[in-house]
Amino acid sequence: MRTVEPTDDEAFANWFNVLQAAELLRDNEAATGWQPDEWRARALDEITPIQLLAWTVGDVFVAVAGLHMTTQDNLHTLRCDLYTHPEHRRRGYGRSLLGAVEGFAYERGRRELTCFSIEGAREVGQGPGRAFAKALGYELADDSRRFDIAWPLSRDQRDALVDRWSPFASGYELISWRGSTPDALLDQRSELAAAMSVLSPWANYEPEAERWDATRMRAHETTTAGMGRLLLVSVARDRVTGRLVAFSELTVSEVAPDTAYQWDTLVIPEHRGHRLGGLMKLANLDQLGSTGLEVRRVTTFNSNINEPMIRVNLELGARVHGAAVLWRRDLGPAL
Ligand SMILES: CC(C)(COP(=O)(O)OP(=O)(O)OC[C@H]1O[C@@H](n2cnc3c(N)ncnc32)[C@H](O)[C@@H]1OP(=O)(O)O)[C@@H](O)C(=O)NCCC(=O)NCCS
């Protein structure tokens, strides 16, 4: 196993080539998928840099991994993304790399490893990651579906949803922006990001609360911009208390805009039932429409147990187009 520096152009290109080949096989379509600069920017993130690792045979990169090196919280655990090049599968390289990753994690005090396997539209429930993770002793932590909303949304559909949902939300004001959070909202926006980490549902997984402050939020914005992505944000403010109670993020690559991605959405529990999730999503879709980018679809991932969010997405016209499964394994006793 070798480490790869995101600033080493040749090694990074070899690393990215493996990930991209795996993605193209999975989706078997003209989707552009991850762009190299997106992974490079994430690898250089100030707060949660991604450690790039590769399994090589001679000079050939056959399997790659990215480890999310948390620095503020969740130091007992480590999230890993792992791919074997389609031409080199079923030769034990994935197993070898995952074993080495476990050792890497353990040496750094991590006592749990989690890993997402993503499935394309044709392989929901039967992607190779499932058999692989089970064979290597991992247990299911969460099963989620990828939903796609065809874009653009029809004006009639959008207006009908706004008319139907708005009466529930008269006690709230929606605020939207692109890119940087306004300074006056930064602290509250950071608190909502921290709340997201414990309030989003997982079937069989309990991450520790994340620690967010203004510095981390600014790093998040900087990394997203470095990825070449526009960050479209909407929040809901309680008209009585003046507090932010909900947020939703939508992002789109300016260089490969065919698929916009829904990132986090959260309504804190006391303010649920007011259709804020759907209304914030619509506000971001309005922002997306004004970018002028040639978007074909909006993609979102929802845990199968997150019934309220799935219902909102179905009302927006979402259809299942894949899956993402989270696996976890205990690496040994805590120090
Ligand atoms: C999942 C993946 C990483 C496996 O990589 P690999 O190098 O082919 O895996 P290995 O050869 O080390 O396989 C180890 C064991 O996993 C199981 N396995 C792997 N792929 C399998 C498949 N397609 N069908 C059934 N079992 C499979 C087998 O038990 C295998 O041992 P065996 O070959 O001795 O029977 C690869 O298919 C891939 O990149 N998939 C897309 C990305 C992904 O899902 N990553 C998440 C992993 S949690």
Side-chain angles (χ1 to χ4, degrees):
M1 183 178 75
R2 57 170 286 187
T3 58
V4 172
E5 292 305 319
T7 47
D8 177 342
D9 287 344
E10 190 184 341
F12 179 76
N14 286 330
W15 184 95
F16 186 76
N17 174 50
V18 176
L19 180 143
Q20 192 170 49
E23 262 203 314
L24 289 175
L25 174 76
R26 180 188 72 213
D27 290 332
N28 189 32
E29 57 180 307
T32 38
W34 284 109
Q35 299 301 298
D37 281 347
E38 297 185 295
W39 275 86
R40 203 193 296 271
R42 294 165 83 212
L44 295 167
D45 184 80
E46 199 186 314
I47 306 289
T48 310
I50 296 187
Q51 170 73 58
L52 308 177
L53 299 172
W55 193 263
T56 54
V57 177
D59 290 339
V60 181
F61 284 55
V62 293
V64 297
L67 310 185
H68 299 240
M69 304 302 297
T70 44
T71 57
Q72 309 295 301
D73 50 63
N74 285 283
L75 300 176
H76 66 290
T77 188
L78 194 56
R79 155 107 184 267
C80 162
D81 294 319
L82 187 139
Y83 302 87
T84 299
H85 194 288
E87 287 169 15
H88 301 286
R89 290 192 180 167
R90 296 309 292 270
R91 294 184 203 162
Y93 298 138
R95 186 194 290 274
S96 299
L97 179 55
L98 190 55
V101 165
E102 288 173 354
F104 183 97
Y106 196 86
E107 281 166 18
R108 286 158 181 78
R110 311 282 172 145
R111 294 294 176 259
E112 176 191 72
L113 202 64
T114 61
C115 193
F116 267 110
S117 58
I118 314 278
E119 295 172 340
R122 297 163 304 133
E123 54 179 24
V124 175
Q126 50 194 9
R130 289 194 193 237
F132 173 76
K134 283 182 201 155
L136 273 83
Y138 283 69
E139 63 174 358
L140 189 85
D142 196 40
D143 201 351
S144 61
R145 288 293 167 269
R146 167 185 169 158
F147 291 91
D148 280 4
I149 300 169
W151 183 261
L153 215 60
S154 85
R155 189 80 208 168
D156 286 351
Q157 187 190 359
R158 180 247 176 233
D159 290 349
L161 288 171
V162 171
D163 288 349
R164 187 140 55 82
W165 287 340
S166 294
F168 291 90
S170 55
Y172 303 88
E173 170 194 13
L174 293 192
I175 307 166
S176 299
W177 63 84
R178 189 193 284 194
S180 298
T181 309
D183 285 339
L185 301 179
L186 194 53
D187 288 340
Q188 289 190 60
R189 169 76 187 85
S190 306
E191 284 171 27
L192 287 176
M196 177 79 199
S197 64
V198 281
L199 290 175
S200 52
W202 301 91
N204 179 30
Y205 182 54
E206 280 185 38
E208 185 183 292
E210 291 182 3
R211 295 161 64 100
W212 281 78
D213 58 12
T215 306
R216 184 166 180 178
M217 185 52 67
R218 289 296 185 221
H220 170 61
E221 294 166 355
T222 302
T223 296
T224 308
M227 292 167 76
R229 301 189 77 86
L230 291 179
L231 181 59
L232 310 173
V233 184
S234 290
V235 296
R237 182 154 64 188
D238 183 333
R239 290 187 195 276
V240 175
T241 64
R243 301 288 301 170
L244 299 190
V245 300
F247 78 98
S248 184
E249 292 180 318
L250 179 67
T251 79
V252 60
S253 165
E254 288 187 276
V255 289
D258 66 285
T259 307
Y261 281 87
Q262 178 69 51
W263 283 0
D264 290 347
T265 296
L266 176 74
V267 180
I268 59 174
E270 309 86 84
H271 297 275
R272 292 181 183 166
H274 296 280
R275 309 298 188 269
L276 294 175
L279 286 165
M280 291 187 302
K281 286 190 169 198
L282 283 174
N284 281 339
L285 293 175
D286 286 348
Q287 294 207 78
L288 182 64
S290 65
T291 63
L293 292 170
E294 288 200 22
V295 177
R296 285 195 299 124
R297 61 186 178 188
V298 178
T299 288
T300 180
F301 288 89
N302 295 127
S303 170
N304 289 347
I305 64 168
N306 195 352
E307 197 263 328
M309 196 77 265
I310 290 175
R311 195 168 351 110
V312 169
N313 288 325
L314 292 176
E315 291 201 66
L316 288 164
R319 297 286 171 268
V320 172
H321 203 80
V325 190
L326 184 66
W327 302 94
R328 65 172 294 283
R329 182 172 188 206
D330 284 326
L331 298 180
L335 284 176

